[in-house]
Amino acid sequence: MPLNIIIGAQWGDEGKGRFTDLMAADTDAVARFSGGDNAGHTVTVGDEIFKLHLIPSGIIHEKATCVIGNGVVMNPAVFIREMDALAERGVDVGPGRLKISRACHIITPAHLALDKAKEMQLGTGKIGTTLRGIGPAYMDKIGRSGIRAGLFAHPEELAEAIHAHIETHNKTLTKIYGAEPVDATAVAADYARYAQRLAPHLTDASVLLDKSLRAGLSVLAEGAQGTFLDIDHGTYPFVTSSSPTAGGALTGLGVGPKMVGRVIGVCKAFTSRVGSGPFPCESDGETAVRLRGTGANPWDEFGTTTGRARRVGWLDLVMLRHASRINSFTDIALTKLDILSGLAEIPVCVAYKLDGEVIDYFPYSLEELGRCEPVFDVLAGWQEDVTGCRTWDDLPQAAQKYIEYIAKDAQTPISYVSVGPGRAQVVDVSAVNLLG
Ligand code: GDP
Ligand code: IMO
Ligand code: MG
């Protein structure tokens, strides 16, 4: 059975968690491959809402083994809090089904302090990070001075590594940023406890996943963040510090490209972004409130991790084409179609105007992106509530046209359309020939 990969097609929060949960029902293992607890993935099961930051969203189903891959940066304190909260809700988070790669890097309080200090120094030019220590942890990894989870099984070496790590970063914190130092002894004591708790979960994730795939089991890679937050392919420097695109799934799990089956791009029926950086289709005023919601519903556009109001705008097909190319999407899962019900017209961005010239690609340069104006095609809206639709034929004709338009423009089939956050609120459209 293949490795299927779920990828965010925009700036994150597309609904990857809900589609991971959906697919996990028929999957043997679900693995996170990038990012850390900067992610916030929401899974709604009946009246229950699960907000997962680090533990794969496959955990809610009883069957799937859940794996933290080597590409993740893992804060053990957050991981343990999340494990305990899930256990209280009756979810099995034992070492038999929840595994941590020995090669993934750990986040420490020094990383959190550095993230905060750097953002403060940037002032109005800040990236608007989630302040979870992600950037500094990946800096240590790439700088070859990080601490890997494998040391959880070696308490003395871990204590030594923590002391050296904190002492080094304290110099930067105090001398460069004028911030408070971190207490190395206290951190070493905390991490000794975390290590004892997490050591039984350690594994060689690459070997484990390879064995599963060769035994005919299915593995699902749960993407975090989104294509436009990718360190290489996103709106640098307003990105995260990892590779949340399809290539990152392979290096972040230690699985080769021959194993890949589907690459599913999860795309919201409009666009949202949290944090700073360019956003050519950004709306304000009434349209923004209409798309974002007021916060009254759990699915309104307010960050799962930080609670910040998300910036919103109409669907940007220039971005979707870019994402489909970079990730080789085999198919798209379109989310939040229900939010568009009741609009007379729905604009979709099909190109940008740059200095009077129409372009059909996403520029590399932020400066150029800042000067891009969206070129919209305007589609007819629909008035019907679609939250109860379960088949293609249930959907209003204008909604069908909207879906078809997106698939044709992206030259990628759409397999699912979600019409609400609930598990059942999905229309499987894979049998419909949308590309004509
Ligand atoms: P992720 O980070 O990609 O997993 O997405 P988030 O969980 O951060 O944000 C998506 C939000 O939209 C969550 O509150 C989901 O419950 C909600 N959601 C997902 N799909 C739908 C949908 O089709 N309709 C509505 N109304 N909400 C949805
Ligand atoms: P999920 O998995 C939306 C954004 C932050 C910030 C930038 C860098 O829920 O889709 P970082 O803390 O990673 O250094 O922040 O990336 N960001 C996300 N935005 N969804 C996410 O995850 C995000 N993870 C990071 O807001 O702009
Ligand atoms: Mg999210």
Side-chain angles (χ1 to χ4, degrees), residues 11-13 16 38-41 128-130 224-225 229 239-240 274 308:
W11 276 295
D13 302 325
K16 299 173 296 293
N38 49 349
H41 295 181
T129 75
T130 58
Q225 289 80 55
L229 290 172
V239 291
T240 191
V274 213
R308 290 178 288 177

Side-chain angles (χ1 to χ4, degrees), residues 8 11-17 32 34-42 52-53 115 119 127-136 138 222-226 229 237-242 272-277 303-306 308 310-311:
W11 276 295
D13 302 325
E14 300 90 347
K16 299 173 296 293
R32 278 276 309 268
S34 71
D37 62 308
N38 49 349
H41 295 181
T42 316
L52 298 153
H53 298 285
D115 201 354
E119 283 285 271
I127 288 162
T129 75
T130 58
L131 299 177
R132 298 300 192 266
I134 304 295
Y138 278 116
E222 175 181 2
Q225 289 80 55
L229 290 172
F238 298 101
V239 291
T240 191
S241 298
S242 68
S272 71
R273 169 165 209 168
V274 213
S276 322
T304 311
T305 298
T306 56
R308 290 178 288 177
R310 294 177 186 148
R311 300 157 65 194

Side-chain angles (χ1 to χ4, degrees), residues 83-425:
M83 277 171 69
D84 290 346
L86 285 166
E88 259 182 41
R89 296 172 78 172
V91 177
D92 174 11
V93 289
R97 74 172 299 223
L98 182 57
K99 310 280 188 186
I100 302 167
S101 163
R102 289 191 180 88
C104 81
H105 283 245
I106 59 173
I107 293 180
T108 72
H111 293 138
L112 299 179
L114 284 166
D115 201 354
K116 187 171 160 196
K118 196 167 177 189
E119 283 285 271
M120 276 173 68
Q121 194 188 58
L122 286 169
T124 51
K126 70 180 180 181
I127 288 162
T129 75
T130 58
L131 299 177
R132 298 300 192 266
I134 304 295
Y138 278 116
M139 279 169 74
D140 273 349
K141 172 178 172 171
I142 302 301
R144 296 165 294 186
S145 54
I147 303 174
R148 301 200 287 178
L151 282 196
F152 288 160
H154 303 280
E156 280 174 24
E157 278 178 58
L158 176 67
E160 263 174 46
I162 292 276
H163 273 284
H165 159 89
I166 302 270
E167 276 155 27
T168 303
H169 286 313
N170 273 346
K171 286 185 198 142
T172 312
L173 280 167
T174 55
K175 299 205 169 119
I176 307 232
Y177 293 111
E180 289 295 310
V182 172
D183 181 343
T185 307
V187 175
D190 287 342
Y191 276 58
R193 275 188 292 112
Y194 303 151
Q196 208 174 14
R197 178 90 189 269
L198 296 178
H201 295 260
L202 293 175
T203 190
D204 185 326
S206 168
V207 172
L208 174 86
L209 296 175
D210 186 62
K211 273 193 189 146
S212 305
L213 289 164
R214 283 176 199 280
L217 302 178
S218 56
V219 177
L220 183 64
E222 175 181 2
Q225 289 80 55
T227 302
F228 292 85
L229 290 172
D230 184 280
I231 188 78
D232 289 286
H233 303 292
T235 46
Y236 189 90
F238 298 101
V239 291
T240 191
S241 298
S242 68
S243 302
T245 38
L250 304 182
T251 45
L253 294 179
V255 176
K258 272 197 299 191
M259 298 296 188
V260 177
R262 291 166 73 184
V263 182
I264 303 154
V266 184
C267 179
K268 215 175 264 188
F270 51 97
T271 312
S272 71
R273 169 165 209 168
V274 213
S276 322
F279 185 166
C281 273
E282 184 166 15
S283 300
D284 53 17
E286 272 176 37
T287 304
V289 176
R290 176 65 182 74
L291 294 174
R292 181 185 303 119
T294 56
N297 305 303
W299 55 82
D300 287 348
E301 297 292 341
F302 293 83
T304 311
T305 298
T306 56
R308 290 178 288 177
R310 294 177 186 148
R311 300 157 65 194
V312 288
W314 300 114
L315 181 62
D316 187 335
L317 291 171
V318 181
M319 287 176 63
L320 186 57
R321 294 195 295 265
H322 181 96
S324 193
R325 172 169 51 81
I326 280 167
N327 296 291
S328 280
F329 289 153
T330 54
D331 51 314
I332 289 170
L334 191 70
T335 59
K336 297 193 91 167
L337 189 76
D338 50 302
I339 301 302
L340 301 183
S341 286
L343 294 164
E345 293 180 327
I346 307 176
V348 284
C349 170
V350 290
Y352 299 146
K353 208 172 213 183
L354 177 61
D355 304 333
E357 193 191 331
V358 175
I359 59 167
D360 64 357
Y361 61 89
F362 195 81
Y364 140 89
S365 140
L366 285 202
E367 193 271 324
E368 281 186 5
L369 257 179
R371 282 188 283 124
C372 280
E373 284 172 30
V375 176
F376 288 112
D377 203 355
V378 179
L379 276 66
W382 58 91
Q383 301 310 307
E384 296 90 332
D385 175 5
V386 295
T387 54
C389 294
R390 296 293 177 269
T391 68
W392 176 251
D393 291 337
D394 291 344
L395 290 165
Q397 211 175 23
Q400 292 177 343
K401 286 229 156 66
Y402 188 69
I403 296 162
E404 213 171 304
Y405 188 99
I406 296 166
K408 279 211 174 93
D409 188 276
Q411 277 301 294
T412 311
I414 294 180
S415 49
Y416 303 107
V417 178
S418 73
V419 291
R423 259 186 183 165
Q425 290 182 295

